[in-house]
């Protein structure tokens, strides 16, 4: 069996996910954010940014997706969190985009040079490298100390605005939330030397969608790949957003009497089918993002 491995940016993976959305399959690995089968090959995207393509048609699928093999980067070459001691920054990040259950959390945080020692003392890092327990422990300290703007789009509201024939798609809704979080934080009077968004789409796409928003941020904005691992301001936002997403997931689960899993694996399909059996489609509209393929998979499970 042929196996190809790629290390890709979040934006590149998101583009591949959009291309393969019609071929999505379930996967029980908690570190797999998306799985698909196409052209006699299995496509797996991991939380680490690694993409694995396996099967007889692996090379054909890679060629179709215009992927070229590249050697993995040495861990010693990875950038540490950047701390420009002379500049203040607004950084934004989102959590929940790849999870079927739960809302979409977006946070913008304002970090000044004098905050750096405090943040380092807490062990602030990219939230993907931290346990949920640590995230939930330090998030309240960050919320108290660091000026920020947090937005949570509940699944119920998400389903009203995202989907075929509705106002937003999965990318434009994130653009709207990032833009609004930055706008509201600036309205509070903070003055940042730089504004950085952890890139989830191309700058061209971002500009296309943000131009349609009522509230416009006039200051220059940079979209940077893997910014949550490079900048303290983005790392703070990723931690606060992750804590908010986990709290929302817990609350929604308590409301319907089920433990709702994070991610979009076969476990989500199973819980969704149980919710359908117990309460019908309204329960999924309240707890989950309906345009995910998990909805159809849950309905199929229910018919078995």
């Amino acid at each position: 069996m042929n196996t190809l491995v790629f290390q890709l940016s979040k934006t590149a993976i998101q583009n591949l996910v959009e291309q393969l959305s019609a071929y999505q399959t379930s996967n029980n690995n908690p570190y797999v954010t998306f799985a698909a089968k196409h052209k006699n090959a299995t496509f797996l995207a991991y939380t680490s940014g690694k993409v694995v393509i396996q099967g007889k048609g692996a090379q054909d699928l890679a060629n179709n997706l215009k992927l070229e093999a590249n050697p993995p980067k040495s861990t010693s070459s990875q950038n540490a969190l950047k701390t420009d001691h002379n500049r203040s920054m607004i950084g934004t990040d989102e959590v929940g985009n790849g999870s079927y259950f739960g809302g979409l959390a977006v946070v913008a945080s304002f970090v000044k040079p004098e905050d750096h020692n405090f943040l380092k003392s807490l062990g602030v890092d990219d939230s993907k490298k931290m346990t949920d327990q640590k995230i939930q422990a330090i998030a309240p300290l960050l919320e108290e100390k660091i000026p920020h703007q947090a937005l949570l789009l509940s699944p119920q509201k998400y389903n009203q605005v995202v989907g075929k024939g509705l106002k937003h798609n999965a990318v434009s809704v994130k653009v709207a939330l990032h833009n609004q979080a930055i706008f509201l934080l600036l309205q509070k009077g903070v003055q940042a030397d730089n504004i950085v968004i952890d890139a989830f789409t191309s700058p061209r796409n971002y500009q296309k969608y943000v131009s349609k928003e009522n509230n416009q941020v006039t200051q220059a904005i940079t979209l940077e790949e893997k910014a949550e691992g490079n900048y303290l301001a983005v790392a703070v936002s990723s931690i606060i957003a992750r804590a908010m997403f986990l709290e929302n997931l817990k609350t929604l689960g308590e409301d319907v009497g089920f433990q709702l899993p994070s991610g979009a694996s076969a476990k989500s399909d199973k819980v969704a089918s149980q919710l359908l059996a117990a309460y019908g489609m309204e329960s999924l509209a309240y707890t989950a993002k309906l345009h995910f393929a998990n909805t159809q998979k849950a309905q199929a499970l229910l018919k078995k």
Side-chain angles (χ1 to χ4, degrees):
M1 181 173 65
N2 295 331
T3 300
L4 301 175
V5 180
F6 307 87
Q7 190 71 35
L8 303 176
S9 67
K10 182 188 292 187
T11 302
I13 291 175
Q14 180 65 33
N15 289 335
L16 295 176
V17 168
E18 291 174 5
Q19 292 181 58
L20 295 171
S21 60
Y23 309 102
Q24 185 178 5
T25 59
S26 298
N27 190 285
N28 292 322
N29 189 327
Y31 299 103
V32 171
T33 60
F34 178 83
K37 289 187 177 180
H38 186 42
K39 292 186 177 294
N40 294 317
T42 298
F43 175 98
L44 300 172
Y46 290 82
T47 55
S48 63
K50 182 173 70 175
V51 165
V52 176
I53 303 178
Q54 296 176 317
K56 292 182 179 180
Q59 190 61 61
D60 288 340
L61 180 55
N63 292 341
N64 184 255
L65 296 172
K66 299 181 179 179
L67 291 174
E68 295 182 3
N70 48 17
K73 294 180 180 179
S74 169
T75 54
S76 61
S77 68
Q78 298 298 312
N79 290 332
L81 281 167
K82 297 177 183 177
T83 55
D84 188 336
H85 293 285
N86 299 316
R87 302 177 73 82
S88 60
M89 177 181 288
I90 289 177
T92 73
D93 202 2
E94 86 280 341
V95 173
N97 177 61
S99 180
Y100 179 56
F101 289 109
L104 179 59
V106 174
V107 175
S109 300
F110 175 61
V111 170
K112 304 182 296 296
E114 53 264 38
D115 297 322
H116 294 169
N117 289 338
F118 165 72
L119 296 176
K120 288 180 177 181
S121 73
L122 291 179
V124 168
D125 201 344
D126 172 8
S127 66
K128 297 182 184 65
K129 299 177 183 178
M130 302 171 67
T131 66
D132 286 344
Q133 290 78 9
K134 182 170 182 178
I135 286 170
Q136 290 169 313
I138 70 173
L141 302 175
L142 297 176
E143 290 170 353
E144 181 179 355
K145 174 76 173 178
I146 303 299
H148 66 282
Q149 178 64 56
L151 300 175
L152 177 69
L153 187 65
S154 70
Q156 194 169 34
K157 182 63 177 176
Y158 184 98
N159 294 321
Q160 292 172 4
V161 299
V162 180
K164 189 175 180 179
L166 299 176
K167 181 179 180 180
H168 288 291
N169 59 41
V171 175
S172 69
V173 72
K174 288 191 288 184
V175 171
L177 288 169
H178 278 264
N179 177 71
Q180 184 69 354
I182 294 168
F183 179 84
L184 292 175
L185 185 54
L186 289 171
Q187 291 290 102
K188 294 178 180 178
V190 305
Q191 295 182 344
D193 297 311
N194 297 96
I195 302 177
V196 176
I197 294 175
D198 184 44
F200 54 87
T201 190
S202 67
R204 183 177 179 180
N205 247 4
Y206 185 89
Q207 289 302 322
K208 178 180 73 172
Y209 290 127
V210 81
S211 66
K212 301 174 184 178
E213 294 300 307
N214 291 329
N215 295 327
Q216 292 290 315
V217 176
T218 57
Q219 189 170 342
I221 292 175
T222 301
L223 277 74
E224 184 171 324
E225 305 285 359
K226 301 181 180 179
E228 75 280 12
N230 289 337
Y231 299 102
L232 283 169
V234 182
V236 168
S237 290
S238 73
I239 292 168
I240 295 175
R242 177 67 179 173
M244 185 164 55
F245 167 78
L246 291 172
E247 182 61 29
N248 177 245
L249 196 66
K250 179 183 176 183
T251 299
L252 291 171
E254 291 172 348
D255 288 346
V256 295
F258 283 80
Q259 186 172 353
L260 304 179
S262 178
S265 67
K267 186 175 182 180
S268 296
D269 301 340
K270 183 177 180 180
V271 173
S273 69
Q274 293 170 340
L275 278 169
L276 281 173
Y279 305 117
M281 184 57 74
E282 286 186 3
S283 62
L284 293 188
Y286 180 71
T287 60
K289 304 175 184 74
L290 294 180
H291 71 85
F292 276 42
N294 302 81
T295 301
Q296 287 72 42
K297 293 174 184 176
Q299 290 171 324
L301 283 175
L302 193 61
K303 293 177 181 179
K304 289 183 179 180

